[in-house]
Amino acid sequence: MRLIPFLLCWLSGTAFAAGLPPLVVSPDLVRAPKPPASPVSVPASGTEAAPAAPVARPAPSVAPAGGRVSLTLPPVPASTAAQLPAGEKRRPPEVADEPALPAGSTSVKALRILGARSIELVADGDAELQRDNMILTADRVTYREPIDEAEAEGNVELRQGNDVIAGPKATMVIGDSTGSFESPAYQISRQRQPSLTGEAPRTVSGSGEADLLRLDGENQYHMQNATWLTCEARDPDWYIRARELDLDYDREVGTARDASIVFKDVPIFWMPWAEFPLTAGRQSGLLPPTFGSSNKTGVDLALPYYWNIAPNYDATITPRFMSRRGVQFGGEFRYLGESYRGESRVEWMPKDRLTGEERTLASIQHEQRITSKLYGSLDFNSVSDDRYFEDLSSRIGVASRINLLRQGQLYYQGASWWSASILAQSYQTLNPDEESRNVAPYRRLPQILVQGQRPDLPGGLAATFTTEYTRFAHEDADRDKDEGARFIAYPQLSLPLAGAAWFVTPKAGFHYTSYDIDRSPLTATQRDSITRSVPIFSVDSGLFFERETTIFGGSYLQTLEPRLYYLRVPSRDQRDIPNFDSSRFDVGFAQMFAENRYSGSDRIGDANDLTAAVTTRFIDADTGVERLRAMVGQRYYFSDQDVYLYNRDELRNAGRGTEILLGLGGRLSREFSMNSYLQHNTETNRTERANFNLRYQPDYAKVLNFSYRYAPELYISENLVGLEDIDVSGQWPLGGGWYGVGRVTHSLLDNRITEAIGGLEYNGGCWVLRVAVHRFAIERDDVSKAIYVQLELNDLAGIGSNPINLLTRSVPGYGKINDSSADRVFGMD
């Protein structure tokens, strides 16, 4: 009877592992004691200089106290061998002098090893099985090489790359990556690829527990009675609980059945079936609902559904319920191809409960590369009525929209130095206030533009030219708006001269314009054919000085940059020329060195003046940060100005400098930054423009801002509106994970608050709660109020109305409190 086991061993080795020598445990396996961190390594049988002969009975291998036995088995047959993923490296050996594990080989380590390799190998005590980058550890591991199966018991842990699965018992077919875990805890990580240019990849991890986990192949996991969360906290406040959970990392999609989102041990959202992205990628399915409240819409609830049609196509369908207005249906479609991209959006409300009307919105943006040199674009926007945005939007940037662009354009890039374009452009102008009518901009039907630039002409000369033909039309042509065609030709020639610390650029140009005008009844007696020829001459020059200096113990590089700009433009009578597209620029440091004080081409300001300015900068010698920047500039007029746009108050008289511009700013310290600007008129001894901004930001999500704006003669089109206000905003931790955020803008001119925001945020580690209240008044008697409430579950979803865009726009330096520390940028060195 004693011979039967030996006979079976011999037969099984032949039948199930033909060609593979059986495991031989030689006396060499027992070596001198070593510390636990330095396991004993024994080469595979068959790798010795002389082949080992089979023995009649496999003997147990026992390591001395403090040591472990290590066996390396050659790769199993191709049908069951595990394949190392492309580009993935094997885990390095634990001991520096241990040879690297051959690809596909299996290493077994333990305090005791029993059995024969060709039948069954039992590793007992601190057991470890490794193949490529997969490591299985347990108190006891039984490995059956013929079927490539491992059975682990006691403190089982499976590591593969950054993935970890742990439980009391597991069974696996190593090469097929199949098997099961009982009562496992798991953490699975994958790298999220950048969705935006310049964005760095980041690792997205998920973890949880289950009654049973089944491995269905590489990157395929199935759990029963499982949890899932993307937070690394030991005692998370939220998780997904599902009767069945499938994780497909080939498609990067998770599927939950009979699932609930549990927050603070309370189920807050039940889903019979749901799919969600595992690496924060795109995935079809219901998006978290958004809800809020405003005095215009009442309670506002939207349930968006995202449809990932293809890698380069997607759509979002959003039913929206407003308690005061009714039901609205919205849709957005985005697409991207090799030669085109765009998006379109529609909104439809069958009947507004307050107005009794149907209300709609349509928007299309499209860009197309037709050939390698020809491009096209379309931008079309439309709403059904004048008060659409005021009634249905709670954002001031949207509610205050007046002119909706409708434009189509073709652009041709000729040689490297010239281009041409043709444009058709109009607007839908909204008039939400019945007592104040907004004047629509002129339509361009069409505009043909040819431009060129040659910086490489003989003698160091540079040339530019602009040629334009535009036909202007207006909806009020039968009342008080002229229409007509305008032709422009504007060639220029310059001679840039420069050295290491200086530059001089003389430039001469000739601006020719002709008009063919269709007069309105208001101007019927004026000329309908006008030409204008204006020579333009300028000289721009500057110097650059720098020195090393020390201030308050700090080392700085100080620069001194004086600049002179002379401009000569003779006066031309332009009072009979309609104003199709011109407006007056605000006086500033950039405009002081421009050749025309008006935008567009219907007014060319006469000039015989000299602008002098000087800038000095203090740059930190260690960090390169500009700590302080001071500028002063003044324009001196040699001749009286004659050309104006709206009234003669715009004109300046000769014989004295008028505007003095002062600027002071910089990053004064790590915490403080400041910018200020002052424009003073010496002729009237009045300050015409002043801005002051101060920011204190000692850390991320800790910022206080103060600003003052003063512009008593601010014009919008032909209307004098004036401006003087104070703005205070900030974000600050209150303690215990709470943050306060807010902004108040008070108009000193009207003695009223024009915009106010107040909010609270709480960072729960794995989640963030945000509550914000927004009040803004476009007009004194037209006030909008909105409430935002959002619960954001990190790396999963945000539930509620999102105030992030509002807070980012309204509070300079605002920081999203649940951004990872690697993403935190707040402009401080």
Side-chain angles (χ1 to χ4, degrees), residues 69-121:
V69 178
S70 175
L71 302 178
T72 301
L73 310 180
V76 297
S79 59
T80 56
Q83 299 297 316
L84 189 65
E88 194 166 350
K89 298 180 179 179
R90 293 193 304 275
R91 183 173 179 265
E94 294 183 5
V95 185
D97 57 356
E98 185 175 343
L101 190 66
S105 298
T106 304
S107 171
V108 180
K109 303 176 184 177
L111 296 178
R112 295 172 299 278
I113 296 180
L114 307 173
R117 187 186 70 192
S118 55
I119 304 175
E120 182 176 274
L121 192 67

Side-chain angles (χ1 to χ4, degrees), residues 401-469:
R401 292 184 66 180
I402 296 298
N403 295 307
L404 306 184
L405 180 63
R406 300 173 176 181
Q407 174 179 292
Q409 185 177 27
L410 287 175
Y411 175 84
Y412 181 79
Q413 180 64 55
S416 59
W417 58 274
W418 73 274
S419 63
S421 64
I422 181 170
L423 170 74
Q425 182 187 80
S426 66
Y427 295 88
Q428 179 185 3
T429 299
L430 308 182
N431 293 282
D433 187 355
E434 297 178 355
E435 299 179 359
S436 177
R437 184 174 182 271
N438 295 309
V439 179
Y442 273 90
R443 300 189 294 264
R444 301 169 189 258
L445 302 172
Q447 180 189 66
I448 302 173
L449 179 65
V450 179
Q451 294 178 306
Q453 182 176 3
R454 291 299 298 263
D456 53 354
L457 296 181
L461 293 172
T464 62
F465 74 88
T466 300
T467 303
E468 175 191 310
Y469 172 83

Side-chain angles (χ1 to χ4, degrees), residues 163 188-192 202-205 219 221 249 279:
D163 301 343
I188 305 173
S189 303
R190 293 294 186 275
Q191 190 175 72
R192 175 188 176 184
R202 70 183 185 95
T203 300
V204 178
S205 299
N219 293 326
Y221 304 88
Y249 278 96
T279 57

Side-chain angles (χ1 to χ4, degrees), residues 245-268:
L245 181 65
D246 292 312
L247 306 179
D248 183 349
Y249 278 96
D250 289 330
R251 296 170 51 225
E252 298 183 346
V253 174
T255 304
R257 297 175 180 82
D258 189 12
S260 301
I261 296 179
V262 179
F263 180 69
K264 291 290 186 179
D265 297 326
V266 177
I268 61 173

Side-chain angles (χ1 to χ4, degrees), residues 261 268-269 288-291 789-793 797-802:
I261 296 179
I268 61 173
F269 193 71
T290 63
F291 55 85
V789 180
Q790 184 194 41
L791 175 64
E792 182 178 351
L793 308 178
I799 302 173
S801 51
N802 186 358

Side-chain angles (χ1 to χ4, degrees), residues 338-355:
E338 292 184 359
S339 61
Y340 60 87
R341 66 179 178 182
E343 60 181 87
S344 59
R345 178 184 172 197
V346 294
E347 293 177 355
W348 175 57
M349 177 179 287
K351 184 177 182 180
D352 189 321
R353 292 177 181 174
L354 295 183
T355 66

